[in-house]
Amino acid sequence: MSPIGPLLLATFLFCAGVYGVIARRNAVLVLISVELMLNAVNINLVTFQNLLYPGDPAVTGQMFALFIIGVAAAEVGVGLAIVFNMFRNRASVDVDDADLMRW
Amino acid sequence: MTGHDVVFVLVGLLTAGGAVLTVTSKNLMHAALFFAVTLGGIAGVFLPLAADFLALVQIVVYVGAVAVLFMFGLMLTRAPIGREALDGQNRGLAMAVAGGLFVVLSTLVIGAFGDLPTAEVTGPRIDDLGIAIFADWVLPFEVLSMLLLAALIGAIVLARRETGESGEELTVTRIEMAQDRDPDALEREQAALTSGSGGDGEEHA
């Protein structure tokens, strides 16, 4: 199996995430797009581990992917809490509305 | 083309389609469901790459927890539905940036890895993974557990309703989303609520 297929798929997913982050206005959908980008990086890490460095005893690529999954789960929790706070204060989750950096 | 390649191409196409629909869908819930499809597809991509454990973790953590969390988030923050309301004015800019980035990145990837020979996919066995976690990666593992605890506490503190010094609940203004709601609706709602609670009381008695 050639590594070029998974790498191109990861590139495509990352660019879809970039598009979502820029184009979406709903803060939850922006978070979803960020998750898409993190998952694209995971595909890259697993591809490099299993196709290019299969004999690594420390399994570095897959370990990084596992840690990214854990950190991303924590990030979703805190990010959604911030979005809820924003919704409670402003009655809107529009990222274009949240441009006021003062009390 | 081996069987691995065929499976990868099919699942990869599903994943890419799900990702495109996630970032372009007009309906909020549809976007979240397409996101779940994309995550499941990524778990499917891990399987021909011989990362079975990671595929299972992906399904448990992402499809099972994160996607559901996002659906809760979307439903609790009732947002207007419709493409104009979901997408900003800068859709053209987003398309240009994402398309340009894709062209640049894929050129780089093909230039750097395009001439690599096709290799047999060999993944580590699951017991190797376990030994690696608890031998080589035990410090990052423990730090990650502390991070998860901190994120748990932080999320609770952030999302909790604010209370004053005395612990009394502050009065919360009710958010009325629909401006053109008919005025009798609130009374009917209240009547339904009282009759519903009365019915409950009888049941408990």
Side-chain angles (χ1 to χ4, degrees), chain A:
Chain A
M1 188 170 173
S2 167
I4 202 75
L7 293 183
L8 282 182
L9 174 68
T11 311
F12 183 79
L13 289 185
F14 188 86
C15 291
V18 169
Y19 172 82
V21 167
I22 300 177
R24 292 293 202 186
R25 283 169 64 190
N26 188 312
V28 182
L29 292 177
V30 172
L31 270 179
I32 286 182
S33 305
V34 171
E35 288 299 309
L36 218 52
M37 290 156 77
L38 286 168
N39 274 287
V41 175
N42 272 352
I43 296 182
N44 256 5
L45 289 170
V46 172
T47 308
F48 284 130
Q49 166 72 57
N50 281 359
L51 283 169
L52 299 187
Y53 302 97
D56 183 11
V59 212
T60 315
Q62 287 199 38
M63 282 303 137
F64 267 56
L66 277 174
F67 286 129
I68 287 178
I69 289 179
V71 173
E75 177 238 319
V76 168
V78 176
L80 276 179
I82 292 174
V83 170
F84 287 159
N85 242 354
M86 183 173 139
F87 180 71
R88 190 179 302 144
N89 289 335
R90 312 184 60 94
S92 150
V93 288
D94 196 330
V95 287
D96 289 347
D97 285 350
D99 52 0
L100 204 60
M101 218 177 183
R102 60 187 164 85
W103 182 248

Side-chain angles (χ1 to χ4, degrees), chain B residues 2-3 9-10 23 26 53 61 77 100 107 121 178:
Chain B
T2 60
V9 167
L10 290 179
V23 291
K26 292 178 188 175
F53 180 66
V61 174
T77 58
T107 312
V121 190

Side-chain angles (χ1 to χ4, degrees), chain B residues 19 36 55 60 93 97 99 102 115 120 132 153 160 164 182-184 191 195:
Chain B
V60 169
L93 171 75
V97 170
F102 180 71
D115 49 354
E120 188 68 26
I153 297 172
R160 193 181 56 141
D182 62 323
D184 299 337
S195 68

Side-chain angles (χ1 to χ4, degrees), chain B:
Chain B
M1 263 179 110
T2 60
H4 278 177
D5 285 319
V6 175
V7 172
F8 170 76
V9 167
L10 290 179
V11 180
L13 284 178
L14 173 80
T15 311
V20 168
L21 288 171
T22 303
V23 291
T24 56
S25 171
K26 292 178 188 175
N27 187 315
L28 282 172
M29 288 315 287
H30 289 179
L33 290 171
F34 283 129
F35 180 60
V37 169
T38 310
L39 294 174
I42 290 172
V45 166
F46 285 158
L47 285 178
L49 287 172
D52 329 359
F53 180 66
L54 213 54
L56 289 177
V57 168
Q58 174 91 10
I59 287 175
V60 169
V61 174
Y62 270 111
V63 184
V66 172
V68 175
L69 207 59
F70 274 128
M71 283 177 207
F72 267 106
L74 286 174
M75 286 193 275
L76 285 175
T77 58
R78 296 169 293 174
I81 289 170
R83 192 187 174 97
E84 288 310 315
L86 288 183
D87 285 3
Q89 307 299 319
N90 41 14
R91 203 180 308 150
L93 171 75
M95 192 58 88
V97 170
L101 192 66
F102 180 71
V103 170
V104 169
L105 282 180
S106 51
T107 312
L108 283 176
V109 162
I110 291 174
F113 303 106
D115 49 354
L116 281 179
T118 57
E120 188 68 26
V121 190
T122 46
R125 287 165 31 144
I126 198 162
D127 49 349
D128 295 337
L129 271 176
I131 288 172
I133 288 183
F134 291 105
D136 296 316
W137 299 95
V138 68
L139 183 66
F141 183 79
E142 298 295 339
V143 171
L144 182 66
S145 69
M146 286 307 294
L147 175 81
L148 282 175
L149 179 66
L152 176 73
I153 297 172
I156 292 173
V157 169
L158 276 175
R160 193 181 56 141
R161 182 150 295 161
E162 293 269 331
T163 53
E165 283 293 316
S166 60
E168 283 178 20
E169 291 246 330
L170 297 179
T171 48
V172 180
T173 20
R174 181 168 173 186
I175 301 161
E176 200 66 63
M177 295 298 275
Q179 269 90 23
D180 50 355
R181 196 171 165 175
D182 62 323
D184 299 337
L186 195 64
E187 290 171 29
R188 271 190 273 116
E189 203 176 274
Q190 300 233 324
L193 267 178
T194 44
S195 68
S197 65
D200 276 347
E202 281 168 18
E203 270 184 26
H204 285 304

